[in-house]
Amino acid sequence: MDQSIQFKAIWQAPIAIAYLDTDLKYIAYSAKWLSDYKLPQEDIIGKSHYEVFPEIGEEWKQKHQRILKYGNIESNPAELFVRSDGSHQWIKWAVRPTFNQNGEISGLVMSTEDITETLKLQSKVDREHQLLLDAADKAKIGTWEMNHITNELYWSMVTKKIHEVHKDFVPDIATGIDFYKPGVNQEIVSDLFARSYKTGERFEVELQIITAKGKERWVRSVMKAEIVDGKCIRQYGTFEDITDKVVSEKNYKLALRKFHDVFEASGVGMMVVDPIDLSITEVNPKICELLNYHSDHIKTSSLERFVLKADFPKLFNSVTDLLNNKIDGIELDIHLKKSTGRFVICSVIGTLIDDDQGNPIDLVIQVIDISGIKKKEEELRAFTKYVEQQNERLLNFAHIVSHNLRSHSSNFEVLLNLYHQETDVEDQNNIIKLLSSSSSQLAETISHLNDVVAVNTKKIELSPIYLKENIFKVMENISSQIKEYHINVDVEMDDDFTVAASPAYLESIILNLLTNSIRYRKKDVPGRITIKAYKHKGKSRIIFEDNGIGIDMKLNGHKIFGMYKTFHGNKDARGIGLYMTKNQVEAMGGTIRVESEKNVGTKFNITL
């Protein structure tokens, strides 16, 4: 081959290569030789190798001479080359002799590879690998590696600790698999190990082992494989003891199953609610029965939808306090809406469920219909109030009887003593007249007391009565008074407005209130009485309002409905009318209230 062509071929070689004669002078070299050793781009043909690399020491020179003398080949996969400028290069090199046509050594050929960056990268990988192993040890995650070239199995100290073997234990494939619990566990790990070896796939599996001390443990094993030229040269992975986690999960699932069984079979309405947005996630059959909805309908709704609007703020505030650990649980009485639109009052008990980290995940709510209990409580309160009123009436009645009869008795006694002491016939006749008058007053008192007794003891039969028609009937009876005092009476209600009442009592009430308004009218202004009636929550509300002289409520408000209570000094006032009116209203199961202002007027509100 032409030498110029040969030199050009060497110059273009992709590796660092140089040809030297027996005096170690360059006769050919590649461009990469210059670039790898950062040599100037100048012709070094004929220059001594030691002139180009003055840092070459005696050891290298002796190697060159041995090769030239004995024709042997020397090489090194990685050797540090310290340059004259102090820089370092890691070199993979080989030096071999060249021969002339006579078979005599004619020089050397050097081929080198700068592996500095490769070694740096390998060093980095090794450091990272060591850091990974250290991290795995700290995380109590063991490692393992099966080298298929040396047929050696390596276990880290954590892996040996998990298997409860001595630190000097030397595993192999057979003993490694034998640690797995016989049966399906050994079959699975053997199959995955074989598949990983064959395909290089990554597997992660949770299986049971039996340690050297005979303990059953749950482990998570991760295996990978390194395939080179279609052949698996190693398999490696991690090994983690997850026994505590598996046991915890089993206990959790067991508790969850027990809770679900209790949840479904509970005789109390129960629902599981998201504590953040109050969306309902689970319901049991009892709550569906209580609200009269299918479970699917409730589970697609928010709890807010079923709660009375007025009750929702206190429920929301309780949930907020529960999430902020201000309270341990929720205990409320709220109204829940059924499918019929009717509300039932329920006792609600809420308990927060946390996850392992203490984060709230569910709010379990128990719901008990207490409508019946509340109704009984209302009835008991009403009955207690009724008994208290009856006791008050009885006490008042006893006081009146005692006081009034004693007054009449004393009066009789005084008049009779005077009669016996008096000798003048005319004076005796006057005393007889006084006795007669006292007797009439006593009869009137007894009559009043009989009326009171009758109101409180007779069984009242209520029937629907056209109110407007009855008002006009009473007005007709007192038409002379209305006309004489120019009273304007407005009756504002429908003709067919009815009220459930005793006809006699209703007439008496209307009469008493109308005559009271006329009796206590203002003398200097035209009298006006307005009577209204309307229905409210299934009951009749009747309002009598006048523009009379009114009552000083601060002074006399507490005794308006008292027996024999008068306020304006009228001679014909007996103080029995409003007392009887109140008793008659209450005997029919109603109530009466009064609002009044002096010189403005009086308004009575009756509810039946």
Side-chain angles (χ1 to χ4, degrees):
M1 181 182 293
D2 183 83
Q3 279 193 337
S4 61
I5 296 175
Q6 186 177 22
F7 181 79
K8 187 177 180 180
I10 295 172
W11 172 261
Q12 294 176 343
I15 60 173
I17 188 170
Y19 283 83
L20 297 87
D21 60 16
T22 52
D23 294 328
L24 277 304
K25 292 181 180 178
Y26 283 90
I27 56 178
Y29 54 89
S30 66
K32 188 163 176 58
W33 182 270
L34 297 180
S35 62
D36 274 6
Y37 295 105
K38 298 179 177 57
L39 298 174
Q41 294 295 321
E42 60 183 29
D43 189 0
I44 59 174
I45 297 295
K47 284 190 176 181
S48 167
H49 184 55
Y50 304 139
E51 181 184 355
V52 175
F53 295 99
E55 56 271 56
I56 290 179
E58 286 299 321
E59 181 183 356
W60 277 88
K61 291 177 180 178
Q62 290 176 8
K63 288 179 182 176
H64 296 156
Q65 292 306 315
R66 283 199 303 271
I67 295 170
L68 288 173
K69 184 176 181 179
Y70 302 111
N72 57 331
I73 302 172
E74 296 202 21
S75 63
N76 194 318
E79 186 167 354
L80 182 63
F81 182 29
V82 182
R83 302 295 301 275
S84 58
D85 61 359
S87 62
H88 292 69
Q89 278 184 284
W90 283 92
I91 303 297
K92 177 181 178 183
W93 59 267
V95 180
R96 62 189 67 199
T98 57
F99 300 90
N100 59 20
Q101 294 178 344
N102 298 323
E104 298 170 342
I105 294 174
S106 60
L108 300 176
V109 57
M110 299 179 179
S111 61
T112 64
E113 181 181 355
D114 186 349
I115 59 173
T116 306
E117 293 301 321
T118 302
L119 290 182
K120 285 182 179 178
L121 181 61
Q122 184 61 47
S123 176
K124 181 181 178 182
V125 171
D126 290 343
R127 285 199 303 273
E128 290 177 349
H129 181 66
Q130 187 58 48
L131 289 173
L132 182 63
L133 293 178
D134 293 344
D137 284 345
K138 290 179 180 178
K140 298 183 179 179
I141 298 175
T143 58
W144 62 272
E145 180 176 348
M146 178 65 210
N147 189 326
H148 289 288
I149 297 176
T150 62
N151 203 31
E152 293 178 342
L153 176 60
Y154 163 80
W155 280 1
S156 69
M157 293 306 295
V158 173
T159 301
K160 291 180 180 178
K161 188 174 182 180
I162 293 172
H163 284 81
E164 295 188 311
V165 296
H166 192 270
K167 62 181 180 180
D168 297 328
F169 178 78
V170 180
D172 57 34
I173 290 296
T175 55
I177 291 178
D178 283 345
F179 274 103
Y180 285 88
K181 190 174 182 179
V184 66
N185 291 272
Q186 287 189 0
E187 292 172 3
I188 290 174
V189 73
S190 298
D191 177 63
L192 295 181
F193 191 78
R195 286 168 58 188
S196 171
Y197 178 82
K198 184 176 181 181
T199 65
E201 289 181 85
R202 176 187 182 280
F203 295 104
E204 180 174 341
V205 63
E206 295 181 357
L207 297 171
Q208 281 182 289
I209 66 168
I210 298 177
T211 70
K213 295 182 179 179
K215 297 178 184 175
E216 287 192 5
R217 310 292 292 177
W218 277 93
V219 296
R220 177 187 291 116
S221 178
V222 176
M223 62 179 71
K224 299 180 180 179
E226 183 177 352
I227 308 292
V228 176
D229 297 330
K231 182 178 180 182
C232 181
I233 61 171
R234 70 177 183 127
Q235 287 173 280
Y236 59 99
T238 58
F239 205 78
E240 182 182 2
D241 186 348
I242 58 170
T243 305
D244 292 343
K245 174 178 172 295
V246 172
V247 171
S248 177
E249 287 178 350
K250 281 188 174 181
N251 291 336
Y252 173 74
K253 289 178 181 176
L254 179 61
L256 194 63
R257 188 170 67 250
K258 288 182 178 178
F259 170 76
H260 184 267
D261 292 344
V262 173
F263 184 81
E264 288 293 318
S266 176
V268 175
M270 297 180 72
M271 59 176 71
V272 180
V273 177
D274 186 311
I276 305 302
D277 61 11
L278 297 185
S279 60
I280 300 171
T281 56
E282 288 293 340
V283 293
N284 73 343
K286 192 64 180 179
I287 193 70
C288 297
E289 178 186 334
L290 174 62
L291 299 180
N292 197 33
Y293 277 114
H294 191 274
S295 61
D296 291 341
H297 179 85
I298 302 177
K299 286 196 289 186
T300 57
S301 305
S302 167
L303 178 60
E304 182 179 4
R305 177 178 177 181
F306 299 97
V307 179
L308 181 68
K309 191 174 181 179
D311 286 347
F312 186 71
K314 63 180 180 181
L315 174 64
F316 180 81
N317 291 335
S318 294
V319 174
T320 302
D321 288 344
L322 188 62
L323 290 173
N324 291 327
N325 297 319
K326 292 182 178 178
I327 56 176
D328 296 329
I330 297 173
E331 291 188 22
L332 291 175
D333 291 346
I334 60 175
H335 293 77
L336 295 180
K337 189 177 184 180
K338 302 183 67 167
S339 63
T340 57
R342 189 172 69 87
F343 283 92
V344 288
I345 186 165
C346 299
S347 174
V348 170
I349 300 173
T351 305
L352 202 59
I353 305 298
D354 297 334
D355 62 15
D356 293 341
Q357 285 71 44
N359 301 312
I361 53 175
D362 286 320
L363 175 61
V364 178
I365 291 181
Q366 301 178 61
V367 180
I368 302 173
D369 182 358
I370 57 171
S371 299
I373 297 174
K374 289 294 180 183
K375 184 179 179 182
K376 292 294 181 185
E377 289 179 353
E378 287 295 328
E379 291 175 353
L380 181 60
R381 275 196 290 271
F383 181 72
T384 302
K385 184 178 179 181
Y386 172 76
V387 171
E388 290 174 351
Q389 290 173 340
Q390 289 295 87
N391 285 338
E392 185 180 353
R393 286 180 193 173
L394 183 60
L395 186 62
N396 191 32
F397 183 76
H399 175 74
I400 291 168
V401 170
S402 172
H403 177 267
N404 289 3
L405 293 185
R406 186 170 63 247
S407 297
H408 288 298
S409 173
S410 298
N411 193 32
F412 274 120
E413 184 177 3
V414 169
L415 289 174
L416 286 173
N417 285 335
L418 288 174
Y419 178 82
H420 288 301
Q421 293 173 6
E422 191 59 61
T423 56
D424 185 80
V425 174
E426 184 177 353
D427 289 338
Q428 286 181 334
N429 289 336
N430 288 333
I431 292 172
I432 291 298
K433 290 179 181 177
L434 291 174
L435 284 169
S436 178
S437 175
S438 294
S439 175
S440 299
Q441 291 176 12
L442 176 59
E444 183 180 4
T445 297
I446 292 174
S447 176
H448 290 159
L449 294 177
N450 279 334
D451 290 342
V452 172
V453 171
V455 168
N456 288 280
T457 56
K458 285 184 179 178
K459 185 176 180 181
I460 305 302
E461 295 291 340
L462 304 181
S463 59
I465 299 171
Y466 289 107
L467 181 59
K468 195 170 186 178
E469 179 183 318
N470 273 264
I471 292 172
F472 284 147
K473 180 180 174 182
V474 173
M475 288 172 61
E476 187 177 345
N477 292 337
I478 59 171
S479 59
S480 59
Q481 295 181 48
I482 294 173
K483 184 180 293 183
E484 180 181 357
Y485 300 118
H486 307 288
I487 305 299
N488 181 29
V489 181
D490 293 326
V491 181
E492 302 176 4
M493 65 190 71
D494 295 335
D495 293 343
D496 58 353
F497 186 91
T498 60
V499 56
S502 160
Y505 285 1
L506 183 63
E507 182 178 339
S508 173
I509 291 166
I510 296 170
L511 179 63
N512 268 318
L513 294 180
L514 280 174
T515 53
N516 257 11
S517 293
I518 294 172
R519 184 177 297 122
Y520 301 111
R521 70 190 180 281
K522 282 189 284 194
K523 310 298 184 192
D524 52 346
V525 297
R528 188 182 68 251
I529 301 172
T530 303
I531 307 173
K532 301 177 183 177
Y534 58 89
K535 296 290 183 182
H536 180 68
K537 294 184 177 179
K539 294 187 176 182
S540 299
R541 185 72 56 82
I542 308 168
I543 299 172
F544 287 78
E545 186 171 12
D546 65 42
N547 64 338
I549 59 177
I551 303 168
D552 186 341
M553 294 297 288
K554 288 184 179 178
L555 186 63
N556 299 310
H558 63 288
K559 55 183 181 181
I560 284 178
F561 295 109
M563 193 172 184
Y564 299 128
K565 303 297 182 184
T566 59
F567 317 110
H568 300 100
N570 288 27
K571 292 180 179 178
D572 57 344
R574 293 289 184 271
I576 194 70
L578 288 179
Y579 179 81
M580 290 299 297
T581 296
K582 184 172 187 294
N583 275 264
Q584 288 165 339
V585 169
E586 291 178 348
M588 294 188 292
T591 59
I592 182 170
R593 292 186 298 107
V594 60
E595 301 170 29
S596 187
E597 186 175 348
K598 199 171 181 181
N599 295 323
V600 174
T602 302
K603 181 166 73 174
F604 289 95
N605 293 278
I606 297 173
T607 301
L608 292 173

